[in-house]
């Protein structure tokens, strides 16, 4: 009897899979921190016989090479992928036997990358699951613009053809098990739900319901900005990532925290945005450990800049270290935990700033106070409506554009509060007087703030 276990990585919006039979298994698109994959196999009592990549990933560092080395598994990588290490190249139609009556069949599905390969898991010759990587997702497909701008339209057309190939080859009841699409920026659009089948996608996925020209025009129009750190992931994966080191970083006292700030390094506070606003080390940045830490920290930080982590507990440091290693931020320079008062030198005070709701902003505006409203949402979010008179700088551009923020008290908002907190910490570190709006954007209308759309309508 076959099985499929899902390993979820909510911070990056990805999934990996362990699948096989009673004795042996294959791992699809493993994460950098392979210990949890090995633990999952141990719980099942199976040997990892194969490790398979659907493509050279652009959004995280793979653990595939190291997992294959540690377990002795064969490392299956699409034959068209240009990599610098020994692996077992797989081409369209290649099949490997995972366990008795359980096999894995390669299906060429270019589009997310030119070499992208999906895999069908079969039992007794019947397809029972489809691991679709960045090809057919839940209500979407993987974005086609991460490889080379000149190939984007060509790959978008390939995505349409690949989706149709999967729908034509696989029965309606076959589960679709993608790697991306659960908040990942590798997906062309976000969709609802966390499970689907070929039959469901046949009815609802634009790649399967629209003609190719309409589909391509739509997908190219809807592409968001690419996280800056993606530029480093593909080369790292093609070269063969080094084993991850998750041993604890050295402890930083207040003197070292101050010295690292003075050296221009990043000191990142992982605590909640509420705690950070109440009191933090001046010059530190707030990236909540419970939020999309890896995505936004890796997106904003100058690549290679040393990072010192601050948190309530050692466990929070450990969790953050694991999350950051998945995107190539391997070793924190140092870390400190406990009472924030211990992170500053004698005689120094913790910095703070105000938090507020959209209702508070409405009251301030009604009084006629001259404040700056800064919107740090993405372009596509702002297109749906923005506060009249607000300044727009997407969060991932703010660190390099703070000088463009007009003078005055800055009320910064996003769609829910997390990104506003990051932005507020950046502004606060730059010496600006800031108020972080910690509220859902729907509350802006309820508070009586006037919204404008990009088409000029209210």
């Amino acid at each position: 009897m076959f099985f499929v276990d899902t390993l979820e990585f909510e911070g990056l919006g990805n999934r990996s899979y362990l699948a096989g039979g009673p004795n042996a298994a294959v791992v699809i698109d493993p994460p950098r921190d392979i210990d949890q994959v090995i633990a999952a196999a141990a719980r099942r009592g199976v040997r990892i016989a194969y490790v398979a990549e659907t493509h050279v990933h652009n959004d995280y560092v793979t653990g595939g090479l190291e997992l294959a080395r540690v377990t002795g598994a064969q490392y299956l990588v699409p034959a068209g992928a240009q990599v610098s290490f020994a692996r077992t190249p797989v081409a369209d139609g290649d099949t490997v036997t995972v366990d008795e009556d359980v096999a894995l069949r390669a299906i060429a599905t270019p589009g997310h990358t030119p070499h992208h390969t999906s895999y069908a898991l079969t039992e007794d010759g019947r397809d029972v699951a489809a691991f679709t990587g960045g090809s057919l997702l839940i209500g979407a497909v993987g974005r086609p613009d991460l490889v080379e701008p000149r190939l984007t339209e060509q790959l978008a057309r390939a995505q349409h053809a690949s989706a149709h190939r999967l729908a034509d080859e696989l029965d309606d009841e076959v589960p679709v098990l993608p790697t991306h699409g659960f908040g990942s920026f590798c997906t062309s659009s976000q969709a609802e739900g966390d499970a689907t089948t070929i039959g469901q996608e046949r009815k609802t996925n634009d790649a399967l319901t629209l003609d190719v020209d309409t589909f391509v025009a739509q997908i190219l129009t809807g592409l968001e900005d690419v996280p800056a750190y993606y530029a480093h992931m593909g080369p790292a994966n093609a070269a063969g990532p080094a084993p991850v080191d998750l041993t604890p970083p050295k402890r930083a006292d207040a003197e070292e925290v101050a010295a690292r700030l003075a050296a221009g390094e990043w000191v990142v506070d992982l605590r909640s945005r509420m705690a950070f606003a109440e009191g933090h080390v001046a010059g530190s940045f707030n990236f909540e450990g419970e939020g999309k830490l890896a995505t936004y920290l890796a997106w904003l930080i100058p690549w290679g800049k040393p990072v010192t982590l601050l948190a309530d507990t050692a466990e929070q440091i450990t969790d953050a270290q694991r999350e950051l290693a998945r995107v190539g931020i391997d070793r924190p320079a140092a870390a400190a935990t406990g009472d924030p008062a211990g992170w500053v030198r004698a005689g120094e005070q913790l910095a703070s700033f105000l938090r507020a709701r959209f209702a508070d902003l409405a009251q301030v505006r009604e009084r006629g106070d001259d404040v700056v409203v800064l919107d740090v949402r993405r372009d596509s979010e702002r297109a749906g409506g923005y506060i009249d008179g607000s300044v727009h700088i997407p969060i991932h551009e703010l660190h390099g554009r703070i000088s463009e923020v007009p003078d005055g008290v800055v009320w910064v908002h996003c769609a829910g509060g997390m990104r506003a907190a990051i932005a507020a910490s950046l502004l606060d570190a730059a010496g600006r007087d800031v108020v972080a709006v910690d509220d859902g954007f729907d509350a802006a209308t309820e508070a009586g703030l006037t919204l404008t759309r990009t088409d000029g309508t209210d």
Side-chain angles (χ1 to χ4, degrees):
M1 186 71 179
F2 81 95
F3 74 88
V4 176
D5 290 342
T6 302
L7 289 77
E8 295 197 47
F9 307 98
E10 293 183 8
L12 293 176
N14 287 330
R15 291 178 176 178
S16 298
Y17 302 94
L18 175 75
N23 304 302
V26 57
V27 179
I28 309 292
D29 290 342
R32 180 89 180 278
D33 45 326
I34 62 173
D35 57 319
Q36 60 190 309
V37 181
I38 293 171
R43 287 193 295 271
R44 277 283 181 182
V46 294
R47 174 177 61 89
I48 297 176
Y50 294 94
V51 177
E53 303 281 9
T54 57
H55 60 294
V56 175
H57 302 282
N58 287 288
D59 65 325
Y60 70 93
V61 180
T62 181
L65 183 63
E66 179 65 3
L67 182 60
R69 185 189 70 80
V70 168
T71 62
Q74 284 194 51
Y75 191 24
L76 310 180
V77 178
Q82 301 298 311
V83 296
S84 302
F85 49 83
R87 87 288 193 200
T88 300
V90 291
D92 186 41
D94 286 353
T95 300
V96 296
T97 299
V98 177
D99 202 347
E100 184 177 358
D101 300 325
V102 178
L104 193 73
R105 183 176 78 258
I107 306 172
T109 49
H112 188 47
T113 66
H115 59 267
H116 190 282
T117 301
S118 299
Y119 298 94
L121 187 73
T122 66
E123 183 180 52
D124 294 326
R126 178 177 61 90
D127 295 326
V128 292
F131 303 106
T132 54
S135 184
L136 187 64
L137 311 183
I138 299 176
V141 295
R143 58 193 297 168
D145 61 328
L146 301 180
V147 177
E148 159 61 54
R150 292 170 296 182
L151 296 178
T152 298
E153 181 174 348
Q154 175 185 329
L155 290 177
R157 292 182 178 277
Q159 277 290 51
H160 187 271
S162 291
H164 279 265
R165 182 181 180 191
L166 289 169
D168 291 343
E169 271 194 31
L170 303 172
D171 292 336
D172 280 354
E173 66 271 16
V174 174
V176 174
L177 304 174
T179 300
H180 306 312
F182 310 95
S184 168
F185 280 89
C186 270
T187 181
S188 59
S189 62
Q190 298 298 332
E192 297 296 325
D194 61 2
T196 191
T197 63
I198 289 291
Q200 287 176 275
E201 294 307 302
R202 195 191 308 278
K203 297 174 184 176
T204 60
N205 196 303
D206 287 345
L208 297 172
T209 60
L210 299 177
D211 66 84
V212 63
D213 290 333
T214 303
F215 169 77
V216 169
Q218 179 174 291
I219 197 173
L220 296 184
T221 300
L223 292 172
E224 302 274 10
D225 289 337
V226 178
Y229 72 91
Y230 277 26
H232 305 281
M233 301 297 96
N237 287 324
V244 68
D245 179 3
L246 296 176
T247 56
K250 72 172 183 175
R251 182 180 177 279
D253 58 16
E255 289 291 343
E256 181 165 1
V257 170
R260 291 192 176 279
L261 281 169
E265 298 181 9
W266 277 37
V267 174
V268 172
D269 192 326
L270 302 168
R271 295 176 301 147
S272 73
R273 54 186 182 260
M274 292 74 76
F276 184 87
E278 289 174 3
H280 57 269
V281 177
S284 63
F285 302 136
N286 182 214
F287 291 81
E288 292 179 299
E290 296 300 315
K292 282 186 167 291
L293 169 66
T295 294
Y296 285 103
L297 179 54
W299 198 339
L300 271 64
I301 192 170
W303 198 250
K305 179 79 73 173
V307 178
T308 293
L309 300 177
L310 309 177
D312 290 318
T313 67
E315 289 75 18
Q316 290 172 330
I317 298 291
T318 298
D319 290 344
Q321 209 177 330
R322 182 179 289 273
E323 186 82 2
L324 294 175
R326 293 173 184 156
V327 293
I329 302 177
D330 281 3
R331 294 292 300 160
T337 58
D339 186 349
W343 302 341
V344 295
R345 295 172 294 191
E348 294 180 338
Q349 299 296 315
L350 294 171
S352 64
F353 53 75
L354 297 175
R355 295 169 53 246
R357 302 289 186 180
F358 281 111
D360 301 313
L361 175 58
Q363 290 181 359
V364 167
R365 280 191 150 189
E366 285 174 8
R367 289 201 308 261
D369 292 5
D370 186 17
V371 299
V372 177
V373 179
L374 176 62
D375 180 351
V376 296
R377 296 174 302 158
R378 295 188 299 276
D379 291 344
S380 61
E381 295 173 284
R382 187 169 171 87
Y386 59 88
I387 295 173
D388 187 40
S390 61
V391 177
H392 181 225
I393 303 177
I395 182 64
H396 58 275
E397 299 178 10
L398 180 60
H399 188 246
R401 297 178 58 189
I402 286 180
S403 62
E404 299 177 28
V405 180
D407 293 338
V409 179
V410 183
W411 287 62
V412 59
H413 79 86
C414 59
M418 181 192 73
R419 287 172 293 174
I422 297 172
S425 73
L426 297 176
L427 290 160
D428 177 74
R432 298 300 302 270
D433 191 356
V434 63
V435 178
V437 179
D438 194 355
D439 209 353
F441 190 68
D442 288 345
T445 303
E446 297 168 6
L449 293 164
T450 302
L451 299 190
T452 303
R453 296 176 59 88
T454 54
D455 60 9
T457 61
D458 293 339

